[in-house]
Amino acid sequence: MWSLKNKLFLWGIVLKPVKVGICGLGTVGSGSFNILLNNAEEITRRVGRSIVIEQVGARRDNDMCDTTGIKVTRDIFDVVNNPEIDIVLELIGGTSVAKELVLTAIENGKHVVTANKALIAEHGNEIFAKARDKGVIVAFEAAVAGGIPIIKSLREGLSANRIEWLAGIINGTGNFILSEMTEKNRNFDEVLAEAQALGYAEADPTFDIEGIDAAHKLTILASIAFGIPLQFEKTYTEGISRITSQDIEFANQLGYAIKHLGIARRTKAGIELRVHPTLISRKQLLANVNGVMNAIMVQGDVVGPTLTYGAGAGALPTGSSVIADVIDVARALTADPTNRVPHLAFQADSLSSVPILPVEEIECGFFLNMTIKDRAGVLANITQILSMNEISIESLIQREREGSELVPLVVMTHDVKERNMNAAIAAIEALPDVAGTVQRIRVENLA
Ligand code: HSE
């Protein structure tokens, strides 16, 4: 039974507004700022107390945010050192200053909400350890797949399951580019510039097109799915920059779409952790996720397959996840820290040391697109190399091109270890009748 003194103490906390400090007023910062103000009434009804913006730290003003009546500082460290603030929103991005900012906030006993996937994927193990020591929460729903509540879904909604695999379109910019190239035959650079103007792309867009952003997000998802430490450096990462319109056209003719997927799978030998362009059947739901939208399939042993879909980037969708975390933290302020949902879903002392597999050990189908001289014996040489490497062909298309002795050849294979495929490709590229390099795209059936 609660004593009267305890009840009065608790009511004092319950009635007191929760004070938030926002660091960074860029795309996500401005979206989060406006959601907190515009949906204040609905948020108070959910939390049972109001959430107010106590201070904003930003290098410059943002026309989208009316900061009248709110303290604004140019020094973000003022925010984490402000004794009034309960929850710090780290929305500046990057890893060096952001890490210092978050560690200072934790040191000062503040809860942290961040949208920073690079920070969590690369420094999360250290940050969570410090947060545990200090009894504070570090929440990061917005770090993965923008507005989709995939962290909450994996960490709480699916917590009865042994997760077998997950596969997702987790970079909005990359999906936007591939979708526009597929549907409208648009040029890569032009679509990327549009994604930047719309605020989808990272400050350094190579993070989007070379797969680094998706690898950060996959690292986080895999840790929560399988209960393993964050291991960004072991994630195999390949972007979309080398995908051509011809690859997309041939894949389409064979009934496939090319999507940039993050795949994490539990196997007997270890865990596959890989980000790369992937052919998937056009009949798959994931193949029909277009534009900036993201979607993640999760296969649990008891639930079976699940799919979540939504906007993967943008001010308001990402702000939606940031503020959902703020609400969760505000609700948990009075809870015993030992009874909170663990940062990585599993108890920190129960994380598993199961190895991450090197990409050579991973098995999948392959789509090979190459240019060959249209001469007797070329096909025979290629099929012999594939057979010597124990690679079985599923289908093969050779296209005529008038007036040229060079013709495109597309080969689809059954599942094979990447190691065998590397050996076969090296041998094929060494054939005098094969021009240039062999384009290789992995194929998944998502079964
Ligand atoms: N650049 C990211 C994307 C933003 O395009 O998905 C959201 O993380």
Side-chain angles (χ1 to χ4, degrees), residues 2 64 81 115 153-154 165 223 320 345 348 367 381 392 413:
W2 285 91
M64 307 295 288
N81 290 319
S153 164
L154 268 176
W165 56 263
S223 286
S320 164
F367 163 100
N381 286 339
S392 149
T413 76

Side-chain angles (χ1 to χ4, degrees), residues 117 142-143 145-146 170-174 199-202 208 213 217 292 294 312-314 318:
K117 52 254 163 178
I170 47 180
N171 180 267
T173 302
Y200 302 151
E202 293 303 298
D208 297 296
D213 176 80
K217 295 167 179 168
V292 72
N294 283 192
T318 312

Side-chain angles (χ1 to χ4, degrees), residues 56-259:
V56 169
R59 272 189 305 215
R60 59 187 78 88
D61 295 332
N62 183 324
D63 293 347
M64 307 295 288
C65 303
D66 178 3
T67 52
T68 313
I70 297 171
K71 286 184 214 117
V72 178
T73 171
R74 297 288 173 226
D75 181 359
I76 45 174
F77 282 84
D78 287 347
V79 177
V80 291
N81 290 319
N82 181 341
E84 289 295 313
I85 286 171
D86 302 299
I87 308 173
V88 169
L89 274 53
E90 182 283 296
L91 305 173
I92 61 169
T95 46
S96 47
V97 180
K99 182 179 173 196
E100 193 188 338
L101 188 82
V102 165
L103 291 176
T104 310
I106 296 170
E107 182 62 37
N108 290 345
K110 299 187 189 311
H111 302 281
V112 175
V113 172
T114 178
N116 193 332
K117 52 254 163 178
L119 180 71
I120 297 300
E122 294 179 28
H123 303 288
N125 297 322
E126 179 186 344
I127 289 171
F128 297 147
K130 184 162 177 105
R132 276 194 305 279
D133 279 353
K134 290 281 173 180
V136 296
I137 302 170
V138 176
F140 50 94
E141 181 65 70
V144 182
I148 305 176
I150 184 64
I151 303 287
K152 197 167 191 78
S153 164
L154 268 176
R155 199 159 59 176
E156 298 176 50
L158 297 174
S159 57
N161 287 262
R162 186 172 195 275
I163 305 296
E164 291 167 350
W165 56 263
L166 61 85
I169 295 171
I170 47 180
N171 180 267
T173 302
N175 200 40
F176 185 62
I177 294 173
L178 285 179
S179 303
E180 293 288 304
M181 283 174 74
T182 306
E183 289 166 11
K184 301 182 193 153
N185 222 359
R186 286 179 70 192
N187 157 295
F188 189 99
D189 293 331
E190 174 197 321
V191 189
L192 173 60
E194 190 180 337
Q196 287 176 285
L198 290 166
Y200 302 151
E202 293 303 298
D204 176 354
T206 58
F207 273 43
D208 297 296
I209 60 181
E210 298 305 343
I212 299 153
D213 176 80
H216 283 141
K217 295 167 179 168
L218 185 72
T219 301
I220 298 171
L221 291 178
S223 286
I224 293 174
F226 306 129
I228 54 174
L230 295 148
Q231 293 165 83
F232 169 67
E233 66 292 348
K234 293 191 184 153
T235 305
Y236 175 78
T237 306
E238 196 180 297
I240 59 167
S241 56
R242 60 184 185 89
I243 299 296
T244 65
S245 306
Q246 195 202 48
D247 294 325
I248 294 175
E249 186 194 322
F250 285 153
N252 186 38
Q253 282 173 21
L254 291 163
Y256 291 86
I258 300 182
K259 290 289 179 191

